[in-house]
Structures are given as C-alpha cells and as structure tokens.
Amino acid sequence: MTAPLSALLGDSATGPQSPEEAWTAAAQLLVQDASDYFESAARAGAGDPRAIALGRATCLLNLQPKTEGNLRGARELLEGVISANRTDEPGLHARYLLARIAQVHAFEPDRAAAIRIYSELYAEVPAHPLAQCAIVRASLLRLYAPGAAEAKRPLLAEFAELAPRLTDPTARRELEQVLADAWMQVFDSPADALPHLLEIDRLGLARRTSRMDLWVRTAEMARLSGRTDLAAMFYRRFLEATPRDARVRLVRERLAEVEGAR
Amino acid sequence: MRERVLNSIGIGLLVVCFAISLSRILLHSKQEADPEVTTLRFAHWQLESGVRDALDAMAREYEAQWLARGRKVRVEQLAIPERVYPNWLVTQLVGGTAPDLIQLGIGINDERTARFFTPLTREVGEPNPYNKGTALESVPWRETFVDNLGSSLSYNPQLLEYYGIPMSIYTIRVFYNKALYREIAGDAPVPRTYEEFVALCRRTIEFGRAHRRPLVPIAGSRYNAPYLMSDLFASQTQRAMLAIDRPRLLHADDNVREMAFIDRRWSLHDEPVVAGLELMREVSGFMQPGFLEVSREDAAFYFAQQRALMVVTGSWDAVSFRSQAPFEIGVFPIPLPAADHPRYGKNMLGPFSEAGIGTGMSFGLTRSARDPLLALDFLHYLGSLPASRLFTERSGWLPAVVGVEPAAAAEPFRPFTEGYPEGFSLVRADMETARIVGKHMYLLPGENGLDAFLDALGKDYPRAVLQDLWSSDRGRARALIRNDTTLTALDALARIHPDDAEIARKRAELRDAQFGVELGHERSRWMLRERGLPVRRE
C-alpha cells in the first residue's frame, strides 16, 4: 500500500555535503545551509573556485540580516569570477547577477548601471539565453524610467522590432508580456495589446493559473477589438480548462454575447 | 481541625492526580515500547466538536485495515489549542519530536516548510492507492481534490512543491435559531433576498419589544460582522469592478482597485460605493450595540443564549453550534439584494460564485517522521475518497475530495458555483485601509452615520491606499530578492541535470512568477511617480 518517497526524505540536519546539495538547499530557501557549505568549500579549496564563488555570492544576496557588507562581498566575488573569463557560463551568470544587484538588491538601486550591464551582455553574446533574458530586463527598466506615457510609444515600437530576434522562447515571451502589459495598463488599448497576448499564448506559460488569466484576458481584448471569432475561441478554451472558477458564468455569458454578435 | 481536613483533601487530590498522570505516562511508554506496534501521530488545532470524533473514527478504521493485513499500527491524534499551536509546533519541529503529520497553516513559514516537511510533488502526480476500486482509481491524486491542490496550504508557490493534503472546504452562511424563527416568522420560508432579510430583522426587533425580550436580529462581533458587511458591500461593486478592470481579468484585484483609485477612476462618493456603505450601515443597526468591540466567542454566546436570532459565520462552526446550542439550528446563504431591486439591483451582476474557494485543514508530512513510508500511507488514506466520505459523515464538514457528497448536516454549506465574481472590497485585508475603515466604523450605525463615516474616511483613505500600494511593492521587492537566489540555484541544478523534468518545471514556473512580479513592480512605481506621488514612505 505504500508508495516510493522522494529522495529528499534524508536527514536535513546534516546540511549539504556537495555543491549539488548546496544548490538544492538554496533552491529550497535554506540559504544559510547552502552558504555554510560554499564557505567551508572555499576555505578548504575544494571544487571549482569560480563555481564556489558564484555559490557564495548567490547566498550572500539572501543571507539574513541583509547588510551592505554582504552585498559588497557578493559584488567582489562576482567580479572575481568575471575577471577570469567574462563570456563563459560562470562569467555570464556573474555579470547577470551584478546587474541584479544594481537593480534589485542594492539598498539604493542603480537602474542606469543595471541597464548598462544587461545591454553589454546582450551586445556581446546576443544568442545566449541569459543575455536575451538580460535585454528584456533592460527594456523593462527603460520603459518604466521616469517620463510621460506618450514618450514611451517609440520604445514600444523598438521592443516590437526586437522581439522576433529573441530566439530563447522564455525571453521572447517576457518581452511580449512587457508589450502587452504596457498597451493594456498604460495606454488602455486592447487592439494594440491583442497581438502580443496571442504571441504569449503561442509561446506558452508554465503556470496553470497564469494560462487561465491569459485566456480570459485575450478573449476580453479580442471582444473589445471586435474580433469575435478570436474572443469566442479563448472564452471556450477557458471554459474547457476551468470548470471550477468564479468567472465561469460570466465567461459563459460573454461567449454567448460574442457568438450572438457573429 | 477544619484546616487539617482541607489540607488532607488537597494532598489527597494531589496524590490522585499524580497517580493518574503517572499511570498515563507509564501506559503511553509501554505502548510506545511495544516492538510489535508502530505508532503514528498527527497534530492539528481543530478543537471543534465532531472533527476530533471524525478523525478518531478514521484512525480506528486505518488501524483495522492494517491489522487485517497483519500489522499492528496505532494512530494517535494530538489536538492542540490554536492559541498555543505556533509555539508548540516550533518547539516540536526544532526539538526533532514533531508528530508524523502536522496541520499546515499557523506557525509555518516557507523556511520551516522547506526545512521540516517532505515535498509531496511526485506523490500527488500519481494515483492514490486508497482510491482503488473507486471512480478515482486511476486519477492522479492531485486531481482528486476539488481545487486540484491549488490552495497555498497545499502548493507552496515559493518552494514550487506540494506539501499539504487537505480535508475540507469552508463556506460562510447565516445560522439561525429555528424555534425562535418559527415564533417570529411562523412558517415563512427563510429570506432569499436582502429585502426579505431586512424584513425579518425588523420583525425580530418588533417581536422582542412586544414580548419584552432582550433580542437582536444578528449577533455581531469584530470577527463575524465583516463576513456579512463585506459581502453586501461587494455586491454593489460588481459592475464597478468590471469598469476599473484594465487588465481584463474579470475579477477583483487589490492592486487594480488601488491604482484605479489613485487615477480617480472611482471614488468614495461613487454611487455603487455609497450604496454598499448604505447596506453595511443598515445591517449594522440589526446587531447588538457595541458589536465591533466584542469577540467571536461573545457573539457565539449571544446566539447560544437566544439573545440573537442569527449569527453569520463559517461552516467550521456548525457542529460546535449544533452541539452547544439548546435549540435546532438552520442555515441559509447570505441574502444579497435581488437583481430587480430598485436601488441596489443595478450595481450587481448576481449572486457570488463560491467555485474558487480553496481547500483547508491540510496535513503535511514531517521529515522527522519515524516511519515515513507508513506516515505517507496514512496521508494517502486521509486524502482518499472512502476516508473523505467518513470524514464528512462524522464531522458534518464539507469534503475536499471530488465525488464525495456532503453529509446531510453539511449540505447547506455546499459551495454555490453558478454565480458571478464578487465586486471589489474597500480594503486590503490586514493592511492600512482595513485599519482605518475599522477605526471609523463606529460612526456608521449612528445618526447621519453614512455622512459622518464618509467624511472621516475621506480624510484618511487616500493616504491609506498609498500605504497599501507601498506595502504591496515592498512584498514584491522581497519576492524578487528571494527568487533571484532560487532561480540561480535552479539554473545551477539544471546544468548538473540538464534532462531533469522536475528541475525544468520549477525553473519555468518560478521564472513565470518572477517576471510577473517584476513587471508589476516596475509599472506600479512608474505610475506613482507619474502622478507625483512618492514610491515609498518618505
């Protein structure tokens, strides 16, 4: 009657004993455990020093309490990784994390520095998925830099040109999300948002709840844009996938409405 | 002499208590030491009568099943009062003495979940062996629950793993004293609309006066009253919710409401908002004076002592009320205004759907379980169709497993799924808007209460909305910081195991979530700046 349990049933009290276990701990928010391993590995001179430095820096970003000293330590470790090679895998990850520190982690964020690092990464290795991920984040920061909404239209045109050049599906989808969201929330323009929502759907979302929301949103944008066939298709897709959602009756009524209008 | 007798009685009582305690400890130790018996322990805070009996019946049934297979298993239930549960839990977890299964919720955060509980993601993707011979025999365990384990007590979106197996779902209803109702309303059916509800409340007041009985229509408290008042308010903002729904999600969202308020796309003086406040004001007049100052227990006493005809609470209270109140209890849904109501109907879409209600009373498997395979087996049993049927029959609570019909006592609580999304609320739960609405609420029932309430609220509300937005942004920033480490770790694991589907799933899901948070964070701060507002507390 019993089923096999996951390998994670082991004793968590002993702490990580290898880089893989340390990364597993970090992925489970057990950052102190992961940090203890990477720090002791660094002291013992065990493993690849650049990989260990990347692990130490990653943990320093989330160790509690958050301190300026930890952030400075993380920056120094990442710069050490980059100084050995700035375009191999550890080097690219270290540069990406440096940009994240400037954008997200620093007590006083430096958006300009983050945009510069992200953009350089993309300029140097445009085909690399991490670099494409970086250029999307640079685009997001540029779009929402201080400035009136109307001044953002040329940026949206620039991003729309960039999007097809992104070969990594996740990065491409994220840029389409930036475009769709801006047309919806900043300009309230369903017709402009719709093609980007369709592209997001083509590329796919991992989370079920995100997909359900995307289908409702796409159907609504299509309805408001007069694309009744498209609206009906997405309303139906939502209803088929979601028998249990407080929006089902409303979506059913919207579907009947657009079908009646055809 | 008298003192000596009293002292002897006291000492005698002490000796008896000590002897009972000692015998219980010795008995327990003997049972624990029996090498032929495997003991499983599970802990929860559901002290409501009926629930413990149901869990006990399930434990005995499970023991009998194992005995029939030739193994002696003993299941021990630990019911811990809610007030001490978090401290008790932390002590047990840190001390390595935690029970095998623990109810998740209070006292548990992400780090404790990761450190002390076993992920069940692989297990919930496979059929539950205890569903063999039922319609759910070949269905993945996750899909045998009414919410597909979508509640945060089952699936942890930060850790991207399933940890909890739920037992029940909850709905909110109006409970009423059937005998008293017959005295007041005769054979009239229970109210189905707000208009009929108000008529019943007025009739109750007249009845109390005529019979010189201290009687109010509704027992209120700071715990119970918001259930009724927030539903009535949200009935009036259903259409307004669609009007401000710029992301076109067709449901209420705190951030959307707050940004729309900042953008002046709705205000406290809009007709639907005022109508919602009018409804709140009217029902507040049907509760006992000072209800906002009293506790949940006080409202329950008021109702049980027949000083109130009704009380509004959740299905979790049903069995306790039924066992404690010396009268028969009836239940009906919170009555909202009818669609053709001349004043309130035009703001509404219709009755609320309860389809989105998540599951609760979820149990997690601790890493310190002495026999983890058996503990997982017991969890499989608890989350099976036959056990869920037994649970609803014995507890009177709603079942969490699909295909299990609620017991007769739970039938009035069955979720209503043919409704519409609720409108927006005036507040974000537990945040500044909730605090200031609560602070001024005492004004609402008074003379010219609506105007006084709106005047007072109007002064504080814009600042409170801004504070809630800041708070939400701080939460987003914290999530971004935390997720950067998790994503980097998952990237490293993906390089070690490039073909591991589970790592790939976690990366994809977290990146989805992370980018959504980042986008909302950047847009929200830009919008505040563009409107000349600070992006954080200055």
Side-chain angles (χ1 to χ4, degrees), chain B residues 483-522:
Chain B
N483 291 349
D484 266 357
T485 295
T486 311
L487 270 173
T488 308
L490 289 171
D491 282 346
L493 290 170
R495 285 195 294 279
I496 298 168
H497 299 289
D499 299 324
D500 190 311
E502 191 53 19
I503 293 172
R505 174 193 69 81
K506 287 184 181 180
R507 279 177 82 204
E509 287 195 13
L510 189 59
R511 188 134 165 216
D512 257 21
Q514 174 85 330
F515 193 69
V517 170
E518 198 159 346
L519 184 53
H521 183 65
E522 290 297 328

Side-chain angles (χ1 to χ4, degrees), chain B residues 311-346:
Chain B
V311 66
V312 180
T313 188
S315 51
W316 56 85
D317 272 333
V319 179
S320 295
F321 275 14
R322 283 181 174 134
S323 65
Q324 287 164 17
F327 48 82
E328 195 184 352
I329 289 173
V331 174
F332 59 88
I334 291 177
L336 301 179
D340 60 354
H341 190 286
R343 170 86 179 91
Y344 302 118
K346 63 182 183 297

Side-chain angles (χ1 to χ4, degrees), chain A residues 1-10 12 19-24 26-33 54 58-59 61-62 66 89 93 96-97 100-101 103-105 107-109 111 118 129-130 132-133 136-137 140-141 143-149 152 168 170-171 173-175 177-178 181-182 184-188 190 204-208 210 213-214 216-218 220-221 223-224 235 243-254, chain B residues 65-66 69 71 110-112 114-116 118-120 122-123 126 129-130 146-148 155 157-161 163 169 241-242 245-251 256 349 351 353-359 365-367 372-374 376-377 380 415-422 477-478 480-486 488-493 495-497 505-506 508-516 518-520 522-523 525-527 529-530 536:
Chain A
M1 198 51 92
T2 52
L5 256 186
S6 72
L8 289 167
L9 259 176
S12 65
E20 181 180 349
E21 286 182 16
W23 284 121
T24 301
Q28 294 179 327
L29 307 180
L30 302 175
V31 181
Q32 186 65 60
D33 294 12
L54 200 56
T58 305
C59 292
L61 297 181
N62 254 305
K66 181 177 170 175
E89 282 292 323
H93 272 89
Y96 181 78
L97 278 179
R100 297 298 288 173
I101 292 174
Q103 180 196 340
V104 176
H105 298 267
F107 286 97
E108 290 301 326
R111 297 164 66 92
Y118 285 139
L130 198 60
Q132 297 193 358
C133 169
V136 175
R137 271 127 192 98
L140 182 62
L141 290 180
L143 179 65
Y144 291 121
K152 306 294 178 187
D168 178 63
T170 309
R173 191 201 64 223
E174 288 172 347
L175 191 56
Q177 282 177 273
V178 173
D181 186 77
M184 281 186 298
Q185 304 261 26
V186 179
F187 295 102
D188 197 19
L205 285 164
R207 293 191 311 160
R208 184 177 174 279
S210 304
D213 284 349
L214 175 68
V216 168
R217 182 177 272 166
T218 307
E220 283 289 286
M221 293 292 168
R223 181 180 67 85
L224 293 165
Y235 284 135
R244 198 171 179 274
D245 187 296
R247 295 170 289 187
V248 162
R249 183 166 172 180
L250 192 52
V251 167
R252 237 189 271 135
E253 289 178 3
R254 291 276 160 99
Chain B
Q65 286 192 22
W66 267 112
R69 278 181 261 146
R71 183 175 177 184
D110 291 339
E111 195 198 329
R112 284 177 192 153
R115 190 174 293 280
F116 297 114
T118 301
L120 302 168
R122 187 184 301 176
E123 285 69 30
E126 293 166 2
Y130 281 95
V146 292
D147 66 346
N148 283 320
Y155 179 72
Q158 288 300 326
L159 299 170
L160 304 157
E161 301 272 15
Y163 283 95
I169 52 175
M241 177 268 289
L242 293 180
D245 177 29
R246 203 166 261 185
R248 316 289 177 197
L249 288 170
L250 302 184
H251 64 61
V256 170
L349 295 169
S353 168
E354 293 172 324
I357 289 173
T359 50
L365 172 61
T366 56
R367 286 182 187 268
L373 292 177
L374 186 66
L376 174 65
D377 184 68
H380 269 129
F416 175 71
T417 56
E418 275 303 300
Y420 294 88
E422 294 181 21
R478 280 195 297 272
L480 289 176
I481 288 169
R482 190 171 47 199
N483 291 349
D484 266 357
T485 295
T486 311
T488 308
L490 289 171
D491 282 346
L493 290 170
R495 285 195 294 279
I496 298 168
H497 299 289
R505 174 193 69 81
K506 287 184 181 180
E509 287 195 13
L510 189 59
R511 188 134 165 216
D512 257 21
Q514 174 85 330
F515 193 69
E518 198 159 346
L519 184 53
E522 290 297 328
R523 184 196 345 100
R525 290 163 74 93
W526 174 79
M527 285 181 162
R529 270 194 215 99
E530 282 310 294
R536 61 185 175 194

Side-chain angles (χ1 to χ4, degrees), chain B residues 39-44 55 62 75-78 80 85 88-89 93 98-104 116-118 120 141 163 165 167 362-383:
Chain B
T39 302
L40 282 174
R41 294 182 304 147
F42 68 102
H44 61 85
L55 291 170
Y62 181 75
V75 180
E76 199 176 302
Q77 177 181 180
L78 307 173
I80 312 295
Y85 193 83
W88 175 85
L89 184 59
L93 289 172
D100 305 275
L101 304 180
I102 286 181
Q103 186 179 359
L104 301 174
F116 297 114
F117 289 85
T118 301
L120 302 168
W141 196 13
Y163 283 95
I165 298 301
M167 303 289 296
S362 300
F363 284 97
L365 172 61
T366 56
R367 286 182 187 268
S368 58
R370 279 174 289 184
D371 186 339
L373 292 177
L374 186 66
L376 174 65
D377 184 68
F378 183 50
L379 199 54
H380 269 129
Y381 170 74
L382 288 180

Side-chain angles (χ1 to χ4, degrees), chain B residues 102-367:
Chain B
I102 286 181
Q103 186 179 359
L104 301 174
I106 51 180
I108 306 267
N109 57 22
D110 291 339
E111 195 198 329
R112 284 177 192 153
T113 303
R115 190 174 293 280
F116 297 114
F117 289 85
T118 301
L120 302 168
T121 307
R122 187 184 301 176
E123 285 69 30
V124 300
E126 293 166 2
N128 180 348
Y130 281 95
N131 282 336
K132 199 170 179 187
T134 74
L136 303 175
E137 178 169 352
S138 53
V139 180
W141 196 13
R142 180 179 55 238
E143 292 169 28
T144 66
F145 295 97
V146 292
D147 66 346
N148 283 320
L149 296 185
S151 113
S152 60
L153 291 174
S154 297
Y155 179 72
N156 185 308
Q158 288 300 326
L159 299 170
L160 304 157
E161 301 272 15
Y162 290 89
Y163 283 95
I165 298 301
M167 303 289 296
S168 190
I169 52 175
Y170 311 110
T171 55
I172 306 293
R173 295 287 183 266
V174 181
F175 292 56
Y176 70 102
N177 177 332
K178 273 190 165 179
L180 188 54
Y181 181 86
R182 272 193 296 274
E183 281 188 67
I184 295 167
D187 294 331
V190 293
R192 295 184 59 188
T193 65
Y194 178 73
E195 303 86 288
E196 291 170 4
F197 182 65
V198 167
L200 174 64
C201 289
R202 292 197 174 123
R203 209 160 163 179
T204 304
I205 292 169
E206 286 163 16
F207 178 88
R209 278 198 198 119
H211 292 78
R212 296 177 185 278
R213 281 174 64 170
L215 183 65
V216 293
I218 310 163
S221 74
R222 59 176 172 266
Y223 170 86
N224 301 77
Y227 288 131
L228 176 61
M229 295 165 95
S230 62
D231 267 20
L232 290 172
F233 183 86
S235 76
Q236 294 306 292
T237 53
Q238 277 182 308
R239 288 191 186 280
M241 177 268 289
L242 293 180
I244 63 167
D245 177 29
R246 203 166 261 185
R248 316 289 177 197
L249 288 170
L250 302 184
H251 64 61
D253 177 292
D254 285 331
N255 268 101
V256 170
R257 168 183 55 80
E258 288 155 358
M259 283 312 307
F261 182 80
I262 298 271
D263 272 349
R264 298 193 169 87
R265 285 188 279 125
W266 72 274
S267 84
L268 291 176
H269 296 280
D270 286 357
E271 195 277 331
V273 175
V274 173
L277 293 173
E278 277 177 12
L279 291 173
M280 287 169 62
R281 179 174 189 276
E282 187 162 34
V283 293
S284 69
F286 296 135
M287 299 182 203
Q288 76 276 26
F291 68 90
L292 286 168
E293 299 305 316
V294 306
S295 69
R296 170 187 184 180
E297 290 77 17
D298 290 325
F301 276 131
Y302 229 84
F303 179 63
Q305 290 170 351
Q306 310 199 50
R307 289 194 285 160
L309 173 65
M310 299 174 276
V311 66
V312 180
T313 188
S315 51
W316 56 85
D317 272 333
V319 179
S320 295
F321 275 14
R322 283 181 174 134
S323 65
Q324 287 164 17
F327 48 82
E328 195 184 352
I329 289 173
V331 174
F332 59 88
I334 291 177
L336 301 179
D340 60 354
H341 190 286
R343 170 86 179 91
Y344 302 118
K346 63 182 183 297
N347 296 325
M348 299 178 60
L349 295 169
F352 300 157
S353 168
E354 293 172 324
I357 289 173
T359 50
M361 198 183 167
S362 300
F363 284 97
L365 172 61
T366 56
R367 286 182 187 268

Side-chain angles (χ1 to χ4, degrees), chain B residues 1-12:
Chain B
M1 180 65 185
R2 189 164 173 267
E3 192 178 336
R4 187 181 288 177
V5 170
L6 284 173
N7 284 343
S8 302
I9 291 171
I11 290 167

